[in-house]
Amino acid sequence: MRRSGLVVWAALRQVQAVARPGLSTVQLDQTVREVFDHFGAQGVFEGYPGRTPFPAVSCISVNEELVHGIPSSRVLQDGDLITVDAGCRYQGWCADAAVSFIVGTPRPATQRLLQTAQQTLRLAIQAMSRAQRWSQVARQMLQFVRQQGYWLVDQFVGHGIGRHLHEKPDVPNVPPKPGNPRGEFLLQPGLVIAVEPMLNTSTKEIRLREDHWTVVAADGLPCVHVEHTVAVTDQGVWVLTGPPSTEEERRWLRQQGFSHLLGS
Ligand code: MG
């Protein structure tokens, strides 16, 4: 699953490297597709069942779009906040991650929202290494987001992941109500989950667009979704969609032709 996670990392990193005002979101989706193809990995979003099957390899959501945005001819403008969410199956195992970033010149308000979302995901990953149960992690996420003055969307959940993109358990971003067993589970070695906080600016409410995929913030204001695939192991928590962290992983990515993503 780590190799699959590195493929997703490379695809999202490549998108960030090429994204700029003037490109369309479908061009960014094409970049994700090229990276997956290069590794011989299969995108697991394309064809995902819905009212109509999802038509692209990645979900690209701009500004007030929160999740499941369909890549299109929409052209990125200076200062747009975009989320690119992608998942693949590589040698039989899946990984799923989302990055958010600002194209061109950031506006302070948007940047603060983005940074808060990134901090929320980091906080959740750190909390996973200490907590026994998921609800303890979700409680910390909710508390942090509210302290920062934003809203955590509770109508979508993260998920277990493995051979398939969506497996048990559901991974809610807010703690379950007392007495509700759904959304509570033990954080024990062997568990792999996609952790995916979604932050809105002034409400937790969302709406579904007429395309039956794109979810937008009900306040029409910028919103952010960030995600990592995270494993609980005997040695601690492992971010499977994080950047390469060993010489062996860097060597593999260089051999695959991605040395330009590795920095100096
Ligand atoms: Mg996911």
Side-chain angles (χ1 to χ4, degrees):
M1 289 189 76
R2 171 56 171 158
R3 282 292 158 99
S4 184
L6 279 173
V7 172
V8 172
W9 175 84
L12 296 180
R13 210 50 195 279
Q14 181 78 7
V15 166
Q16 270 185 278
V18 303
R20 58 186 156 77
L23 284 187
S24 68
T25 56
V26 81
Q27 284 174 291
L28 299 185
D29 184 65
Q30 186 58 29
T31 298
V32 175
R33 185 186 298 278
E34 282 164 10
V35 174
F36 285 177
D37 285 352
H38 181 90
F39 283 94
Q42 294 83 48
V44 285
F45 291 5
E46 194 168 33
Y48 197 92
R51 169 112 31 135
T52 54
F54 193 76
V57 176
S58 61
C59 299
I60 302 186
S61 308
V62 184
N63 295 336
E64 77 287 358
E65 298 170 354
L66 180 65
V67 291
H68 305 162
I70 300 175
S72 70
S73 55
R74 178 174 181 165
V75 171
L76 295 173
Q77 310 291 317
D78 188 50
D80 275 352
L81 171 63
I82 79 165
T83 297
V84 182
D85 186 354
C88 79
R89 182 179 283 110
Y90 177 73
Q91 297 186 346
W93 294 96
C94 295
D96 182 10
V99 289
S100 279
F101 55 95
I102 295 163
V103 180
T105 321
R107 291 186 200 89
T110 318
Q111 191 150 37
R112 186 173 162 265
L113 172 66
L114 172 61
Q115 283 168 349
T116 304
Q118 290 164 339
Q119 284 168 352
T120 306
L121 181 55
R122 270 201 301 277
L123 176 144
I125 292 165
Q126 283 162 9
M128 280 177 70
S129 58
R130 292 187 300 270
Q132 257 130 47
R133 297 186 310 276
W134 173 255
S135 62
Q136 298 168 308
V137 178
R139 191 162 293 116
Q140 288 185 47
M141 280 204 289
L142 180 60
Q143 219 167 44
F144 177 73
V145 171
R146 294 301 297 126
Q147 274 166 4
Q148 300 301 314
Y150 297 115
W151 294 84
L152 200 51
V153 174
D154 58 11
Q155 293 188 52
F156 288 93
V157 295
H159 48 93
I161 179 167
R163 291 284 183 189
H164 301 281
L165 171 64
H166 291 138
E167 298 188 356
K168 293 277 158 209
D170 284 349
V171 183
N173 288 319
V174 300
K177 300 249 160 32
N180 179 8
R182 189 170 173 265
E184 181 64 294
F185 53 89
L186 291 174
L187 297 165
Q188 42 197 3
L191 179 80
V192 187
I193 54 176
V195 180
E196 41 185 320
M198 298 162 199
L199 274 68
N200 277 0
T201 298
S202 77
T203 174
K204 64 176 185 171
E205 299 307 317
I206 49 168
R207 308 220 188 294
L208 185 63
R209 283 232 181 104
E210 278 156 24
D211 63 20
H212 293 286
W213 279 110
T214 312
V215 174
V216 299
D219 56 15
L221 296 173
C223 48
V224 190
H225 168 223
V226 284
E227 175 179 15
H228 270 307
T229 294
V230 184
V232 180
T233 79
D234 289 322
Q235 284 86 44
V237 165
W238 191 5
V239 183
L240 297 179
T241 45
S245 57
T246 65
E247 192 41 47
E248 192 269 331
E249 288 176 351
R250 282 187 284 271
R251 191 181 318 122
W252 183 64
L253 286 168
R254 274 197 296 272
Q255 282 165 356
Q256 298 283 335
F258 288 89
S259 43
H260 61 286
L261 299 180
L262 299 177
S264 49

